[in-house]
Amino acid sequence: MSTTPTVLLVHGAFADAGSWAGVIEELQSDGIPVIAPPNPLRGLASDSAYVASLASQIDGPVVLVGHSYGGAVITVAGAMENVAGLVYVAAYVLQEGESLGELQGRFPLSPLVSNLKQWTYPVPGGDPAVEVTIADDAFPAVFAADVPAEVTKVLAAAQRPLAAAAFEETAPVAAWQTKPSWALVAGADQAINPEVERFGAKRAGATIVESEGASHAVAVSRPKEVADLIREAVRATS
């Protein structure tokens, strides 16, 4: 059984696992085992169950890393016994019994809220459900203001929608209550108010790094900063 934790990267809404490419390259250059699975983005209960199942099948300890909505997912999935630590990247850090909507509702809303586009998708045996993406014309400023325009254009076209119901689901557990945590706050985030990130991280007792001027897509624009924090978590939990 390996003593070096495997890093499991969980992307958030409006992104896919490819958003971790620069971070993966950084970690692999240090010989750190890393996996970046697709996050289904269908709801907190089902998404966290999926990530927890993946973590349980990894031999040895796991460090879960969550970006954005992925932070809520790792908060729940991190209760697995072999999860050694949690890293939040421009992320929601929920308390037990709290939803995304409740947490962000305590702070001024970010520009994301007024720039969401609604879609529907079929649900077996029921009415179509609602999912959301960011309007294409707002995507650069809201999600990736510090990413080159040609890259942002691709990211906007490749958005993964988030089920709207995910904003209302509550976390049945908060793994940070029993696991060490680290957090990167993106100082110029226009998708999640940085105060939301900062509040959740402080409440969790996380080791916090502030990335001044960073957009929500900090893993794309500043992969070394993100990887450095993950390296710190890996060292601390090895």
Side-chain angles (χ1 to χ4, degrees):
M1 185 177 291
S2 173
T3 57
T4 300
T6 296
V7 173
L8 201 164
L9 301 168
V10 181
H11 67 80
F14 323 125
D16 62 21
S19 62
W20 294 112
V23 175
I24 293 170
E25 186 176 7
E26 286 277 344
L27 297 176
Q28 288 181 337
S29 71
D30 282 345
I32 297 173
V34 57
I35 300 172
N39 181 359
L41 304 179
R42 296 296 80 178
L44 183 56
S46 60
D47 295 342
S48 58
Y50 175 72
V51 171
S53 175
L54 288 175
S56 72
Q57 297 174 67
I58 295 172
D59 289 333
V62 173
V63 168
L64 289 181
V65 182
H67 173 245
S68 188
Y69 163 71
V73 174
I74 70 168
T75 294
V76 179
M80 294 299 301
E81 184 177 351
N82 67 324
V83 173
L86 309 167
V87 181
Y88 295 94
V89 179
Y92 291 104
V93 187
L94 297 182
Q95 174 62 281
E96 183 178 343
E98 186 175 61
S99 69
L100 300 179
E102 289 170 343
L103 175 56
Q104 68 180 13
R106 297 179 188 146
F107 300 88
L109 295 177
S110 73
L112 171 72
V113 179
S114 59
N115 286 287
L116 290 175
K117 182 177 180 179
Q118 291 194 354
W119 308 77
T120 61
Y121 63 96
V123 177
D127 295 330
V130 176
E131 61 185 10
V132 292
T133 59
I134 302 173
D136 286 353
D137 59 349
F139 187 91
V142 169
F143 197 89
D146 58 351
V147 175
E150 62 273 19
V151 177
T152 304
K153 196 173 181 180
V154 173
L155 295 177
Q159 290 184 66
R160 292 276 309 280
L162 174 66
F167 289 101
E168 304 305 323
E169 286 190 59
T170 59
V173 64
W176 51 259
Q177 292 179 336
T178 57
K179 309 287 175 78
S181 60
W182 291 258
L184 183 148
V185 175
D189 200 330
Q190 297 297 301
I192 301 176
N193 185 332
E195 287 300 323
V196 174
E197 301 169 17
R198 197 172 288 115
F199 171 82
K202 288 181 177 179
R203 181 174 61 181
T207 299
I208 301 172
V209 170
E210 298 269 348
S211 188
E212 186 176 351
S215 76
H216 193 60
V218 61
V220 178
S221 62
R222 306 185 185 190
K224 185 178 184 303
E225 287 186 33
V226 175
D228 282 346
L229 187 61
I230 297 171
R231 289 183 182 107
E232 182 178 335
V234 168
R235 287 193 297 269
T237 55
S238 293

